[in-house]
Structures are given as structure tokens and as C-alpha cells.
């Protein structure tokens, strides 16, 4: 379900930068009619404590260069439990941008952050958030409600389609073609006759397989590799 508010956390040890980001984010949400609720943190430790205490955010705007624990290290910890929350890094260090791919960062914005680039990043993440509306699937255990963003991949097993999430799996009688039709707009790609994968969780793209978050390996058909590459890079540019 889509929450009533879109929770955004700004974490930056520099008060001036933190306040500037907060003000811009509030203005963007107001102008774009996003029901944003923004919280600010001066230390990674404080944000992590809130998350471990059960507080949820939909988007994290993280400074990379912070004392004690930087934004990249914080994100690695967050990703151990949460694959869904979007992350946008803010930093003066452009060389660390590539590290953002390790934690599936949505954007990497150079400081001082330009308002238009922040706007584009927030709109991109909010659009993905809205796309993740729950869908209903008929399964062997009855009708299940699931967010497309929680699905890692789907595999044909016998006469069923098996849905794989982070820590559970279950079967549905829906055909792979029907599931592909339902999930294509959510960043999924048919990488093999028997596999449909969520680009969100792809970590390594090789000529014969995809490595997903958590080390899962999914095969890629030779005649689909070009399509898979295009879908993956298009997803990263969205």
C-alpha cells in the first residue's frame, strides 16, 4: 500500500548543507504536490538508530563524507535489511560515485546540489515508489498482495510460476507471459524463457547470467542478452 506521506530523510553533518537540502526538498514536494514529510539528521548513527527502531523512510538523501560513518558505509548497513528504500547520495567527492552502485543508489548528486537535479532525483524516486503499488496474485495459499519492488525474480517450475522474494517464495498459476505483461512497467525483463527478473536487484550482468543481490544467479539466454542489457541500462538511467 502507498502510505499517506512520502518519508524523506536528509542526513548531512554540515548544518548549512543539511538545511539547504531540506528547504529545497520541501519546496520541490510542495510544488510537485508530493505529500512529503522530511526529517533531518546530523549523524549517520542517529538515522541508523531510528531505522533499527522501526522508523521507515521512502527516500534517503545522504551526504557521503561524514565523520564516524560515511554515507556509503551507512547504506551498506541499511541494505542488509532494506532493499526497497531509495537512496540519493550528495557529495563533493565525485570519485566515490561508482561506489553508489554497490548499494543500488538512485542518483549521485554533486555538491553544491543544484535544485533542478534534486528535483529530477526526487521525482524519479517518487515515480518508482508509486509504481510499487501492491498487486494481487492467485497463489497456492490463496490470494496474496505483493509489491512488485519486493520481487527478486520469477521462475517457471513445472506448470507453475514461482515468485522469489528476499526471504520467501511461493507459486502462482499465472503464466510467465501474463506476469511479464503485468510487471514490464515495474523494471522487469525476461532474461530467459523460464526467468523474469527485477532489474532493481541486478548487481552483475554477464553474457550467460545475472548475479542478483544476495548472490543469487539467474541464467540469461544468448538470444536475449542484448534485450537484457538494454533493459538494465535503461532502468539505471530512469
Amino acid at each position: 500500500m502507498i502510505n499517506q506521506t512520502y518519508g524523506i530523510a536528509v542526513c548531512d553533518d554540515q548544518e548549512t548543507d543539511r538545511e539547504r537540502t531540506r528547504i529545497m526538498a520541501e519546496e520541490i514536494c510542495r510544488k510537485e504536490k508530493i505529500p512529503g514529510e522530511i526529517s533531518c539528521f546530523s549523524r549517520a548513527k542517529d538515522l541508523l538508530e531510528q531505522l533499527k527502531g522501526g522508523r521507515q523512510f521512502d527516500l534517503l538523501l545522504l551526504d557521503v563524507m561524514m565523520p564516524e560513518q560515511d554515507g556509503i558505509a551507512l547504506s551498506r548497513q541499511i541494505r542488509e535489511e532494506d532493499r526497497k528504500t531509495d537512496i540519493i547520495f550528495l557529495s563533493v567527492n565525485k570519485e566515490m560515485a561508482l561506489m553508489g552502485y554497490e548499494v543500488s543508489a538512485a542518483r549521485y548528486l554533486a555538491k553544491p546540489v543544484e535544485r533542478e537535479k534534486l528535483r529530477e532525483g526526487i521525482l524519479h524516486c517518487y515515480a518508482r515508489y508509486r509504481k510499487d503499488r501492491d498487486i494481487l496474485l492467485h497463489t497456492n495459499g490463496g490470494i496474496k498482495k505483493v509489491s512488485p519492488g519486493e520481487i527478486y525474480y520469477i521462475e517457471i517450475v513445472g506448470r507453475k510460476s514461482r515468485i522469489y522474494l528476499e526471504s520467501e517464495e511461493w507459486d502462482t498459476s499465472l503464466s510467465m507471459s501474463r506476469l511479464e505483461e503485468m510487471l514490464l512497467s515495474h523494471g522487469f525483463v525476461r532474461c530467459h524463457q523460464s526467468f523474469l527478473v527485477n532489474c532493481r536487484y541486478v548487481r552483475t550482468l554477464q553474457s550467460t547470467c545475472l548475479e542478483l543481490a544476495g548472490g543469487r544467479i539467474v541464467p540469461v539466454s544468448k538470444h536475449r542478452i542484448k534485450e537484457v542489457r538494454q533493459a538494465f541500462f535503461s532502468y539505471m538511467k530512469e
Side-chain angles (χ1 to χ4, degrees):
M1 295 289 289
I2 296 293
N3 297 326
Q4 187 175 1
T5 59
Y6 183 60
I8 301 175
V10 179
C11 188
D12 194 322
D13 65 305
Q14 297 296 319
E15 183 178 359
T16 301
D17 290 345
R18 185 172 66 247
E19 185 66 8
R20 182 171 180 271
T21 300
R22 180 191 67 78
I23 291 172
M24 285 196 296
E26 285 182 347
E27 290 175 347
I28 290 164
C29 287
R30 185 167 56 251
K31 185 172 182 179
E32 301 297 336
K33 295 182 172 52
I34 296 173
E37 183 176 272
I38 301 172
S39 302
C40 292
F41 300 87
S42 60
R43 299 188 305 172
K45 176 183 177 182
D46 296 335
L47 173 55
L48 191 59
E49 285 180 355
Q50 289 286 312
L51 293 171
K52 287 184 175 180
R55 191 168 182 185
Q56 296 182 332
F57 294 101
D58 303 298
L59 172 62
L60 306 178
L61 302 177
L62 304 181
D63 180 25
V64 171
M65 308 300 290
M66 291 187 288
E68 298 180 25
Q69 184 178 39
D70 62 49
I72 300 291
L74 170 63
S75 298
R76 290 195 185 108
Q77 279 193 267
I78 291 171
R79 285 294 186 238
E80 290 177 2
E81 303 290 336
D82 176 10
R83 307 300 314 182
K84 193 173 178 182
T85 300
D86 279 314
I87 297 173
I88 293 179
F89 286 123
L90 317 173
S91 181
V92 295
N93 189 339
K94 296 181 181 179
E95 293 180 1
M96 296 185 72
L98 289 176
M99 298 179 69
Y101 288 106
E102 295 180 22
V103 291
S104 303
R107 291 288 186 274
Y108 194 104
L109 306 183
K111 285 186 173 184
V113 177
E114 296 178 20
R115 186 185 186 283
E116 187 54 33
K117 289 186 176 180
L118 180 61
R119 172 184 172 277
E120 188 278 331
I122 290 176
L123 289 178
H124 163 73
C125 293
Y126 186 62
R128 291 208 307 193
Y129 163 85
R130 289 181 61 84
K131 272 187 179 182
D132 278 346
R133 290 180 184 275
D134 294 342
I135 58 176
L136 298 177
L137 296 176
H138 291 271
T139 74
N140 49 3
I143 297 177
K144 283 187 178 285
K145 182 168 63 175
V146 62
S147 163
E150 295 176 347
I151 299 173
Y152 277 59
Y153 68 98
I154 302 171
E155 177 187 9
I156 294 176
V157 179
R159 296 177 179 272
K160 302 283 187 177
S161 297
R162 184 159 297 167
I163 313 289
Y164 292 88
L165 282 69
E166 183 173 17
S167 57
E168 63 178 310
E169 59 189 63
W170 29 267
D171 295 339
T172 175
S173 58
L174 289 174
S175 68
M176 185 67 87
S177 296
R178 175 58 181 142
L179 290 165
E180 182 179 11
E181 180 183 313
M182 293 171 64
L183 296 168
L184 190 62
S185 63
H186 294 276
F188 284 72
V189 62
R190 188 79 170 269
C191 61
H192 186 281
Q193 183 65 23
S194 300
F195 289 86
L196 181 66
V197 69
N198 190 342
C199 289
R200 172 180 292 191
Y201 297 109
V202 174
R203 294 294 170 269
T204 305
L205 172 58
Q206 299 180 23
S207 59
T208 59
C209 67
L210 298 172
E211 181 181 349
L212 308 185
R216 309 180 201 206
I217 303 296
V218 174
V220 177
S221 297
K222 286 192 299 184
H223 69 280
R224 292 180 186 267
I225 185 63
K226 184 176 180 180
E227 176 188 347
V228 171
R229 282 184 179 138
Q230 289 176 342
F232 177 67
F233 289 118
S234 293
Y235 175 82
M236 293 303 295
K237 292 177 181 177
E238 285 182 357

